[in-house]
Amino acid sequence: MAYLSEQKRSFFSNDYTCFKTYPLDLNAARRLELRPFELANYDVFAFDFDGTLADTNATKYRAVYCAALSVTEDESVASRFAKKFIFQSGISREAKITAEFDEAVAKQVLAKYNSNLEVMLSEVVLDDDALRLIEKISEREMTALIVTGGDVKEVEQILERNQCADLFHGVFGPPLNKVQHFRNLLKSGLTAVYFGDSPYDAEACIETGVDFCFVEQFSHVDYGQIDKPSYSINKFGDILCQLL
């Protein structure tokens, strides 16, 4: 992966292998095929949280790696699962953990992961440009909400600590998955766009007909690994100017 920048290749510490694999010039060429972002086309702006509004993927990798290691006592098993866990970003932790371990072990891994996150997420801050964009959306009486595969209470606590909870019309997460949330949203007849960072985010949007905007800044993958996004941006500042 010599064509990747040092920043991308060292995206995660320790043994984490970044999933970004496409040459930057190929990503740029593919982006030229996309239409310009049009804010006026949408009634609802929905946001993923982990890896999109906040740079939490590395934190969650460490948390789940330590959780799996404490139970399995096998570094290779813990590392392999932690990488898979992050690559499946957007799917609930319960679903990912129970699919990997038997019931008794899964309960231990989940409990340890939740305990690790309670400490590790205490200093998480939201991306400045993302907050500025959402403030502008709110000022124009548009709807902003969060649809996450993570724990809703954890996200709500982070929003409260960052003093921005009132900018969102709600946080939606498990036990419903993103496809179910998107279908419920579309029943209202509103047009929606979803900002996310993972292949699963894109798949959920394709399945339901919600437009998808890939945000690469904190993502564990790059644009070339996202299936048919409606839009792609490096960071929220790329579209913030449209609301200034």
Side-chain angles (χ1 to χ4, degrees):
M1 301 199 305
Y3 46 76
L4 293 179
S5 67
E6 182 63 26
Q7 180 181 8
K8 286 190 175 184
R9 284 187 283 112
S10 61
F11 188 76
F12 289 92
S13 59
N14 302 326
D15 66 340
Y16 188 94
T17 302
C18 187
F19 294 108
K20 300 188 176 188
T21 58
Y22 270 59
L24 300 183
D25 57 348
L26 179 56
N27 287 332
R30 287 194 62 197
R31 280 195 175 95
L32 290 176
E33 302 171 1
L34 301 179
R35 65 184 189 272
F37 192 92
E38 295 289 347
L39 291 165
N41 289 346
Y42 304 103
D43 304 306
V44 177
F45 299 83
F47 298 84
D48 173 48
F49 188 80
D50 293 303
T52 301
L53 291 180
D55 186 10
T56 56
N57 282 333
T59 299
K60 291 200 166 186
Y61 171 80
R62 290 192 296 271
V64 77
Y65 171 82
C66 292
L69 182 63
S70 70
V71 174
T72 65
E73 298 183 349
D74 187 321
E75 292 184 357
S76 64
V77 170
S79 176
R80 183 171 62 252
F81 174 63
K83 293 174 183 178
K84 181 179 179 180
F85 185 94
I86 297 300
F87 188 75
Q88 294 176 329
S89 177
I91 301 173
S92 74
R93 67 191 62 174
E94 292 84 1
K96 291 184 285 190
I97 291 173
T98 55
E100 188 73 15
F101 303 101
D102 63 40
E103 184 177 357
V105 174
K107 288 181 178 179
Q108 295 178 62
V109 173
L110 180 60
K112 185 64 175 177
Y113 176 64
N114 289 337
S115 176
N116 291 343
L117 279 184
E118 188 173 354
V119 176
M120 294 180 179
L121 292 179
S122 62
E123 298 182 358
V124 167
V125 297
L126 272 69
D127 177 66
D128 286 341
D129 282 344
L131 280 180
R132 291 174 63 204
L133 173 61
I134 295 162
E135 286 171 355
K136 295 300 180 182
I137 290 172
S138 179
E139 288 172 4
R140 285 159 174 76
E141 299 183 349
M142 299 173 175
T143 298
L145 50 84
I146 293 173
V147 180
T148 178
D151 185 84
V152 170
K153 289 184 178 179
E154 283 177 359
V155 173
E156 290 175 338
Q157 289 170 355
I158 294 172
L159 296 181
E160 291 290 346
R161 286 197 297 268
N162 283 264
Q163 300 181 335
C164 61
D166 59 339
L167 295 176
F168 297 93
H169 285 69
V171 179
F172 302 90
L176 298 185
N177 60 37
K178 293 187 179 184
V179 168
Q180 292 169 315
H181 281 302
F182 292 159
R183 284 177 176 160
N184 288 339
L185 177 62
L186 293 177
K187 287 178 183 177
S188 64
L190 299 174
T191 56
V193 60
Y194 186 64
F195 296 87
D197 74 311
S198 74
Y200 173 73
D201 292 341
E203 291 167 7
C205 287
I206 290 172
E207 184 171 342
T208 56
V210 170
D211 281 355
F212 178 64
C213 181
F214 174 56
V215 185
E216 188 168 354
Q217 183 177 17
F218 302 134
S219 179
H220 55 290
V221 299
D222 62 19
Y223 171 74
Q225 294 160 276
I226 299 296
D227 187 25
K228 301 177 183 177
S230 304
Y231 313 99
S232 177
I233 58 176
N234 289 316
K235 55 187 183 301
F236 284 103
D238 294 345
I239 59 173
L240 183 61
C241 59
Q242 296 187 42
L243 285 179
L244 295 180

